[in-house]
Amino acid sequence: MSRALITGITGQDGSYLAELLLKKGYEVHGVIRRSSTFNTSRIDHLYRDPHLLGTKLFLHYGDLADSVQMIKLLYDLEPEEIYNLGAQSHVRVSFDIPEYTGDVTGLSTVRILEAVREAGLERRVRYYQASSSEMFGAVAEIPQTETTPFHPRSPYGCAKVFAYWLTVNYRESYNLHANNGILFNHESPRRGETFVTRKVTQAASRIKVGLQDKLYLGNLDAQRDWGYAPEFVEAMWTMLQQDNPDDYVIATNETHSVKEFCIEAFSRVDLDWEKYVEYDKRYERPAEVNLLKGNPAKAKKQLNWEPKVTFKDLVRIMVDADLEVAKNEKTFQEAVTNKK
């Protein structure tokens, strides 16, 4: 039984990756931060899934700012694979807390890679670093590939560039099987509610059933390459199964604007988006990334990976999931009101 360690296991990608690895027969260990409230909602179902009964999922308290705990974990677990998905991952928020973002998004990579060396695992472990299309920022070319120069436009993007080059450096310096997945935007019903795609699909659904009146957004003209998160985590796993480590762009090679996303989401619930979406300058970034579009040709050639879920299907999947939640909330509210 292979053993994997995932940082950020309670996030969107971490939950899908844990699910994938468990189905493949892995023993999965995840690092979670101590909190006064439970934050495991995205992975709770893994303990109840009848198809996964008998699988092994273990959670460990830790923090990406704590190198000592990471060293202890690696000594104890000796995982064959490490997936570093944990981060302060909200680009707009990174402008408000740049030091913290640099610490847990950038410096955490040093802590993990050094922990690998301290535990003597550099010849045995395979490491995945969650890199980001935000590293390209003010893009030098369209579409972006593995050789496109970086020009990050946020503290988050800068921290990811730091982590990217550290991963390359440890690969070249210590012969570590270290890989960078340069993932472009990838979404799902498990996307955080403060990210623009989920804000849109959740708002469209809540407006449809009468739980919300308006949706306030920033730059509607920003264009992104949006894919489906479960497909993207398959690419992560596939990278670590290769004989040689490398860096890969994972994307759809299509670009759509925030406005297009709104049109598609609201039309799914038979609403005119222009009647409900309003501009709010508070959601603008100090430095904007106008267009991201990735070419996954290398991943297709070397990993035999390519996206299958289309943009329209992605929006449909997200809206339908949020609409079900909104309907249940509406039903509950009406039941409470009728009891009164």
Side-chain angles (χ1 to χ4, degrees), residues 220-231:
L220 293 175
D221 296 321
Q223 299 181 64
R224 293 294 184 268
D225 185 327
W226 278 303
Y228 187 42
E231 294 183 339

Side-chain angles (χ1 to χ4, degrees), residues 48 72 85 90 100 111 128 153 171 181 200 243 337:
R48 303 188 299 268
K72 289 180 178 178
L85 311 184
H90 198 288
Y100 176 79
R111 298 183 182 110
Y128 173 83
R153 298 267 285 171
R171 181 171 70 214
V200 171
D243 292 334
T337 301

Side-chain angles (χ1 to χ4, degrees), residues 34-78:
R34 174 69 177 89
S35 173
S36 59
T37 58
F38 291 110
N39 62 347
T40 58
S41 59
R42 292 188 180 96
I43 58 174
D44 287 341
H45 71 284
L46 297 177
Y47 294 102
R48 303 188 299 268
D49 190 333
H51 299 99
L52 296 178
L53 291 179
T55 59
K56 295 186 176 181
L57 173 61
F58 304 94
L59 302 180
H60 307 268
Y61 285 123
D63 195 298
L64 291 176
D66 183 357
S67 58
V68 174
Q69 172 64 3
M70 186 58 62
I71 292 171
K72 289 180 178 178
L73 269 179
L74 295 190
Y75 268 120
D76 291 341
L77 301 178
E78 296 187 346

Side-chain angles (χ1 to χ4, degrees), residues 193-206:
E193 295 175 2
T194 60
F195 290 83
V196 65
T197 52
R198 188 72 194 287
K199 283 180 66 176
V200 171
T201 60
Q202 190 177 63
S205 302
R206 291 174 62 82

Side-chain angles (χ1 to χ4, degrees), residues 73-94:
L73 269 179
L74 295 190
Y75 268 120
D76 291 341
L77 301 178
E78 296 187 346
E80 285 89 5
E81 297 176 5
I82 298 174
Y83 297 86
N84 183 24
L85 311 184
Q88 190 301 101
S89 59
H90 198 288
V91 178
R92 176 63 188 84
V93 172
S94 76

Side-chain angles (χ1 to χ4, degrees), residues 131-140 145-153 157 160-162 164-165 168 180 182 247 249:
S131 292
S132 169
S133 60
E134 288 289 333
M135 300 188 303
F136 295 119
V139 298
T145 70
E146 293 81 4
T147 60
T148 302
F150 299 139
H151 187 158
R153 298 267 285 171
K160 283 294 186 181
V161 169
F162 177 72
Y164 171 93
W165 283 116
V168 173
N180 279 294
I182 308 174
D247 310 314
V249 162

